[in-house]
Amino acid sequence: MSEDTSGSGYVESEYRRDSKYLSDRITADGSSGWPVEPGRYRLVIARACPWANRSVIVRRLLGLEPVISMGMCGPTHDERSWTFDLDPGGRDPVLGYERLQQAFLARDPQYSRGITVPAMVDVPSGAVVTNDFPQITLDLSTQWTAYHREGAPDLYPEHLRDEMDEVMERVYTEVNNGVYRCGFSGSQRAYDKAYERLFTALDWLEERLEHRRFLMGGQITEADVRLFTTLARFDTVYHGHFKCNRQKLSEMPVLWAYARDLFQTPGFGDTIDFPQIKEHYYVVHADINPTQIIPAGPDTSGWLMPHGRDQLGDRPFGEGTPPGPVVAGEEVPAGHGPGGIAHR
């Protein structure tokens, strides 16, 4: 449900994610009714959200900025919707909306499910096409190939897909969603079970990554993108706020080096806004943090420490090349990266 806890709640004291998304797809042949078309769609994200962060990274790695514009919501939301409070006048400059909810209601005036990011919006109609976050990134890789930049990586290689799908499913259920299962547990028993599942999976990842640079071997794939957005938030919010506290990421030597390797790769760390991440979790999750006080720490300067993973050889982008500089207007604000200001 992409960072919006409304409508999910607790079932038998265990957290259950609302996964009822608008599942339309934007396809190269247009058979879905939504054809790939440069300039037609706007990707709406929030930097705080790990699910939206995936689409920001993939769009950047593939060089799709010239053909898919991006709108950014602020780090907090109320029960109704994410809002465009970072934009002048509090309105998205392309869609003209104050709230992402307006795009969902343009699609279905009776829409009553979660208003989530990321969302792909059809600019001419102002209506959401899809908020199915796992499929959005796969389609950016497989359906928008005509518009990938020269040197773009193959993030979903056909010969690896069967194994990748299995790895990504385990990463999703046990890690990406596992931290939420800990944080929103409604009983001690549910929390203990969730905690054990999470750290069992993290131990598996430590072992898997000890002698391979990336999850699928020698170069970055979608699987790494999906794991990275959770790791980037682990010490900052999940360790304390969600009680995922057996160890910090910085105390898991293989995963910490792997995460730093990705963070220091263009397209990854330059999408991470630590103050917005903290503001979202500590303010929006008032049931967990009733005071809504945003902690000053942790120190994030360690993300820039040498990682040593290049000793494993391999090339992050295979035969391709890293993306260029961040597009003007999409930069993470100065001071919001490693070692920057504590919070807004």
Side-chain angles (χ1 to χ4, degrees):
M1 69 178 201
S2 304
E3 291 299 285
D4 181 353
T5 57
S6 60
S8 60
Y10 309 89
V11 178
E12 297 178 352
S13 299
E14 292 187 8
Y15 173 68
R16 294 286 188 271
R17 181 172 295 279
D18 179 1
S19 57
K20 297 176 182 177
Y21 304 109
L22 293 170
S23 57
D24 287 7
R25 295 177 60 194
I26 299 168
T27 55
D29 63 8
S31 59
S32 61
W34 301 102
V36 165
E37 186 178 321
R40 177 170 176 176
Y41 304 100
R42 187 160 177 82
L43 174 65
V44 177
I45 62 96
R47 290 199 188 276
C49 171
W51 319 105
N53 196 176
R54 295 179 178 187
S55 59
V56 179
I57 293 171
V58 170
R59 170 179 172 269
R60 174 147 159 63
L61 294 179
L62 298 178
L64 290 171
E65 296 98 327
V67 296
I68 303 173
S69 66
M70 188 167 76
M72 286 183 269
C73 299
T76 62
H77 59 73
D78 57 23
E79 285 116 359
R80 287 176 58 194
S81 171
W82 294 88
T83 58
F84 295 100
D85 52 293
L86 300 179
D87 291 309
R91 289 184 179 273
D92 180 88
V94 172
L95 300 172
Y97 292 152
E98 294 179 337
R99 291 177 169 273
L100 181 56
Q101 180 187 45
Q102 293 169 267
F104 281 80
L105 295 177
R107 169 70 183 268
D108 177 4
Q110 305 304 315
Y111 188 84
S112 59
R113 289 178 286 176
I115 309 297
T116 65
V117 290
M120 290 287 277
V121 179
D122 176 49
V123 174
S125 66
V128 169
V129 176
T130 178
N131 63 335
D132 186 353
F133 68 90
Q135 192 62 50
I136 286 173
T137 48
L138 294 180
D139 283 345
L140 292 179
S141 283
T142 62
Q143 302 301 308
W144 289 80
T145 53
Y147 300 99
H148 289 180
R149 66 177 175 86
E150 184 177 354
D154 183 355
L155 296 176
Y156 195 42
E158 195 160 358
H159 69 286
L160 293 177
R161 288 181 188 178
D162 288 345
E163 183 185 1
M164 271 188 71
D165 289 344
E166 292 179 4
V167 169
M168 292 191 298
E169 178 64 18
R170 186 171 184 184
V171 166
Y172 170 72
T173 60
E174 305 305 296
V175 181
N176 301 146
N177 199 45
V179 293
Y180 286 85
R181 196 182 295 112
C182 288
F184 290 111
S185 290
S187 71
Q188 187 68 52
R189 181 178 179 181
Y191 167 75
D192 291 344
K193 180 181 176 182
Y195 178 96
E196 180 65 27
R197 285 179 62 179
L198 170 65
F199 282 97
T200 295
L202 291 175
D203 289 341
W204 163 68
L205 288 166
E206 279 271 295
E207 182 178 349
R208 183 179 179 90
L209 289 163
E210 185 174 4
H211 300 296
R212 65 174 85 192
R213 190 167 178 185
F214 304 108
L215 280 174
M216 303 309 301
Q219 68 183 73
I220 290 165
T221 65
E222 167 98 9
D224 299 292
V225 175
R226 295 187 178 197
L227 177 57
F228 172 77
T229 60
T230 294
L231 297 183
R233 290 158 174 77
F234 200 90
D235 287 4
T236 303
V237 288
Y238 300 146
H239 178 269
H241 184 60
F242 277 177
K243 307 178 184 71
C244 303
N245 62 355
R246 190 192 77 180
Q247 293 160 283
K248 296 178 180 178
L249 174 65
S250 58
E251 295 167 345
M252 292 180 269
V254 174
L255 274 173
W256 177 222
Y258 163 81
R260 298 200 313 277
D261 188 3
L262 289 174
F263 190 95
Q264 294 169 33
T265 298
F268 285 85
D270 52 31
T271 72
I272 299 297
D273 186 315
F274 288 114
Q276 285 200 25
I277 288 169
K278 289 197 294 185
E279 184 174 357
H280 171 75
Y281 285 89
Y282 284 100
V283 172
V284 171
H285 299 160
D287 51 343
I288 298 177
N289 185 41
T291 64
Q292 299 181 306
I293 293 171
I294 304 169
D299 180 2
T300 56
S301 60
W303 282 99
L304 300 180
M305 291 170 49
H307 53 75
R309 297 282 291 179
D310 43 6
Q311 295 177 6
L312 295 173
D314 308 318
R315 301 175 61 187
F317 294 98
E319 297 303 314
T321 57
V326 178
V327 172
E330 295 184 3
E331 307 94 340
V332 170
H336 283 214
I341 60 177
H343 54 74
R344 294 181 5 149

